[in-house]
Amino acid sequence: MSYGSIVCLYSWKIALAIALINLPLPALSEKKQLNNYQPQILQTEISDRDLKIIEQLVAIAQRQSSQVQEAKAAMGWSAFTDVLSVEFSPSQTNTNYNLPDVTSESQRSFAIAMTIDPIKLLNIIQQLPVRKARWHEVKQQKRVAVVQYYLAYLQARQATKIAAYRMQQLALVGAKTELIGSVKSQVTLPDRVSQMANPDYVAAATEMLNTNARDRLALEELAACVGLSSQATITLLEASNLNNE
């Protein structure tokens, strides 16, 4: 082998080593992340933790519901307002004395008259079982609504996790492909250009936006059903998760 060939061989090895050293560190870390990424465990059934959270939300929703409170009040004293009537009547009495020092004396008094309508009382007593059934019915309707909105929120949260996982996997695979292409050609396309030209990435990004929108809407509907703000609902759900872990 000639001296010129030896010099060319060593020059090629040195250039290859420099190229490997100058590889983008974020791309190498993304490749490592792709190999080491562990997907989240997806939920396949309603757990005991979910049932406990539902009971807490139902209790709050029933306390906050105006319909439940009105149905409950219909069984109390307000039901007898038309049955019992109370009348206050003031009176004044004047007494005359035939005495030189005292001519007359005035006294004021109040009289209270209570009247009970027996027919209305009988009707109210007969309606009490119906009003009690109405109260339980409204409470059950509120419970069903809370369960419905909580399960919708649970499904939306899981759909968001799935979309985020697909989005991350697609981004990491794209980074790996870009890394291989950059080693071969030493030319790297801008990330935004390559992503917008990839129909799979566009579909994944659109699905990610849709799932995030459904997730937020499900949270707002659950909060409105319970009677809390969205932030208070998130705080309650996070606290319940910590207490049940």
Side-chain angles (χ1 to χ4, degrees):
M1 181 180 295
S2 64
Y3 177 75
S5 300
I6 296 175
V7 172
C8 292
L9 178 61
Y10 278 100
S11 299
W12 178 82
K13 291 183 177 180
I14 293 174
L16 179 60
I18 293 174
L20 291 176
I21 293 174
N22 292 331
L23 283 176
L25 292 179
L28 291 175
S29 62
E30 288 174 352
K31 181 180 179 181
K32 182 178 180 181
Q33 185 179 5
L34 175 63
N35 296 329
N36 296 334
Y37 182 80
Q38 297 295 331
Q40 297 183 7
I41 298 177
L42 298 179
Q43 187 170 351
T44 58
E45 60 182 7
I46 306 303
S47 63
D48 292 338
R49 176 179 59 84
D50 294 320
L51 297 178
K52 292 180 181 179
I53 295 176
I54 288 175
E55 292 301 329
Q56 293 178 0
L57 295 176
V58 168
I60 297 174
Q62 290 178 348
R63 289 197 304 267
Q64 298 285 90
S65 175
S66 59
Q67 295 178 346
V68 174
Q69 297 303 320
E70 289 176 357
K72 182 179 180 180
M75 301 183 302
W77 288 106
S78 61
F80 298 91
T81 54
D82 295 335
V83 175
L84 179 64
S85 61
V86 180
E87 181 180 356
F88 295 90
S89 56
S91 61
Q92 184 173 357
T93 304
N94 294 322
T95 304
N96 295 323
Y97 298 96
N98 296 323
L99 297 175
D101 295 334
V102 181
T103 58
S104 64
E105 183 178 354
S106 177
Q107 293 182 348
R108 293 182 179 181
S109 61
F110 291 90
I112 301 177
M114 300 180 62
T115 304
I116 297 178
D117 190 332
I119 298 178
K120 291 183 178 181
L121 178 61
L122 182 61
N123 291 334
I124 291 299
I125 294 176
Q126 292 177 348
Q127 292 178 3
L128 283 179
V130 178
R131 298 190 180 193
K132 185 176 182 180
R134 175 59 181 168
W135 177 51
H136 288 292
E137 181 181 356
V138 173
K139 288 176 62 178
Q140 189 64 24
Q141 289 175 352
K142 177 59 67 173
R143 178 182 182 87
V144 172
V146 171
V147 173
Q148 179 181 354
Y149 285 120
Y150 177 78
L151 295 181
Y153 172 73
L154 203 65
Q155 292 172 339
R157 289 289 296 169
Q158 179 145 308
T160 302
K161 293 179 181 179
I162 295 173
Y165 172 75
R166 292 175 178 173
M167 185 79 178
Q168 187 173 13
Q169 290 297 297
L170 187 61
L172 293 178
V173 171
K176 181 179 179 181
T177 304
E178 184 180 351
L179 173 62
I180 296 174
S182 64
V183 172
K184 291 181 179 180
S185 62
Q186 297 297 325
V187 177
T188 304
L189 294 176
D191 291 341
R192 294 183 180 179
V193 175
S194 60
Q195 290 174 354
M196 290 297 294
N198 186 353
D200 294 334
Y201 177 84
V202 173
T206 303
E207 180 63 20
M208 187 68 192
L209 177 61
N210 293 337
T211 54
N212 279 324
R214 289 194 294 268
D215 187 0
R216 184 64 190 185
L217 179 60
L219 174 63
E220 294 292 341
E221 290 177 341
L222 176 61
C225 181
V226 175
L228 299 175
S229 64
S230 57
Q231 186 59 44
T233 303
I234 292 176
T235 302
L236 187 148
L237 294 176
E238 291 177 350
S240 300
N241 290 336
L242 292 176
N243 293 334
N244 290 280
E245 285 181 356

